[in-house]
Amino acid sequence: MNPPEPAAIPRQRGFLGFVERAGNLLPEPTMIFVWLIGVLVVLSIVGAALGWSASLPYSGETPPEGAVLADGKLTYRATSLLAAENVTRLLTEMPRTMAGFAPLGLILTIMLGAAVAERSGLLSALIRASLRNAPRGLLTPLVALVGMVSHHASDAAYLVYVPLAALVFATAGRHPLAGLAAAFAAVSGGYAGNITPGQIDVLLFGFTQEAARIVEPGWVMNPAGNWWFILAIVVLYIPAIWFITDRVIEPRLGQWSGAMDDQTRADLARTGLEPAERKGLRRAGLAALLVIGAYAALTLVPGYAPLFNAEGEGTAQFQPLLGALVAGFFLLFLLCGIAFGSAAGTVRSSKDVTDMMQEGIRAMAPYIVFVFFAAHFVAMFNWSRLGPILAIDGAEVLSALALPAPLLLVSVQMLGSFLDLFIGSASAKWSALAPVVVPMFMLLGISPEMTTAAYRMGDSYTNIMTPLMSYFPLILAFARRWDAGFGVGSLLALMLPYALTFMVVGVAMVVGWVALDLPLGPGAQVFYQPQQR
């Protein structure tokens, strides 16, 4: 495959131009993590020497890793990364540290199936069959809606949907980077929103429940406790993405030059569907029904439902199903790609399938290099105990401010946004923050559901404005498929208008929800009323 032809995206003046130029002076994301590891080592040494620590009440019996439980309190103490046990862990667990980096396994698993779906021609045929004649002006809201719903597919949307949206825009004659930006904004910046509760709701409310029981031991989580709130995010974010993409981003990008790699050029060159491709799509549809039917059977068949937790409550019953979606998408892409290719003539033997898989993994080589350093930064950050110390101290500062409830919630939102610039995992941050802020807000009359809603809002929109986000290098690689000169600053400048707009909308939502006392979901209110439980 030849390298992409250079594309001339006009470099703008003004604030976004400054962000782009300044951001492009940053090293590649891999080297950013190398430098951060060095800074982290120094901070851990200083913190251990000065005795940095933080404590919080804890009603459980088993303390989390790295914490000391005494007199009903958890205490985290800063640990030097040059301490003997941490050096031993670093050198002996290096393979495990990399292999245990959650996004890596997800990406490689789905990529094996997606590579077959792409290289067999299935994805290209689907686009040409369904979106080639779609109105150009409606592509953006459609991309935004599907992107926000795709959260139910876990992080698979980053790998599959974001590059697909760029291809959809290119197919319609629009700038592919505008499609990539709209999809990335919806998938990542709009991570807090969705049409229905899903896996992230169960995960976050699990930490909320443990924190709420510090004040009320019998408090039980409601996985649908943010349903109306996350639905409102979808309603408000879609027009915002539509306006920013069509009126700000695409005019800034200018006329698309048509630069692309050979694979993309071949995909776009075919405007119609051959009879063999139509037959392949029919076979792929049957394969998709087979996978969906198998998952439905494993979830609903009485007496044998491995993907259904009969002991759970509400959406928690479907936690095994949600956790199995990664494997489901692998099977979906793999089997549909094989079914399509067998009819279209692109898959003639098992060797063709394995060759496609190998080509897909080769394309992931730059990301695998990045993962090595990112995984070690995340692991070393945990070993140093600086993360929970920062979160607990930050929450205590908020408590000392004695602000009105709406402003306190916005403060929690801003704290989540700040931490999100450095710590990617929403659950990791909430596991440290929830035991402090949830009981504090309950004592102030704010419900655990409202506190969770404020946190998850703040945790989402900064995803798209930090090169430390684990999927940022992957999105950058997708962008370079269309513009070989696209840099870190270029992507930051592309996404900053979305992030700032989402931030304003998010703050307004949190303040407005409290001021109007709107229900957050079925049985979930803004204010905490223990007598109703």
Side-chain angles (χ1 to χ4, degrees), residues 208-294:
T208 302
Q209 174 174 283
E210 294 306 310
R213 287 180 174 179
I214 295 174
V215 173
E216 184 179 329
W219 196 88
V220 178
M221 75 167 178
N222 174 10
N226 281 170
W227 193 346
W228 312 147
F229 189 84
I230 64 176
L231 183 59
I233 293 174
V234 175
V235 173
L236 294 176
Y237 273 21
I238 288 178
I241 294 173
W242 191 355
F243 178 84
I244 294 171
T245 303
D246 291 9
R247 299 299 180 89
V248 178
I249 299 302
E250 202 160 13
R252 179 175 179 270
L253 290 171
Q255 186 65 35
W256 177 42
S257 67
M260 66 195 85
D261 58 32
D262 292 343
Q263 177 67 45
T264 308
R265 185 178 294 107
D267 289 343
L268 295 179
R270 299 191 296 269
T271 57
L273 289 177
E274 301 293 335
E277 290 179 316
R278 295 184 184 278
K279 181 179 179 181
L281 287 177
R282 290 193 292 269
R283 287 190 182 180
L286 293 175
L289 290 176
L290 176 64
V291 173
I292 295 171

Side-chain angles (χ1 to χ4, degrees), residues 404-414 441 446 450-451 454 510 514:
L407 293 183
L408 269 177
L409 285 167
V410 171
S411 299
V412 169
Q413 182 181 348
M414 293 296 104
F441 276 68
I446 299 296
M450 186 67 238
T451 307
V510 170
V514 176

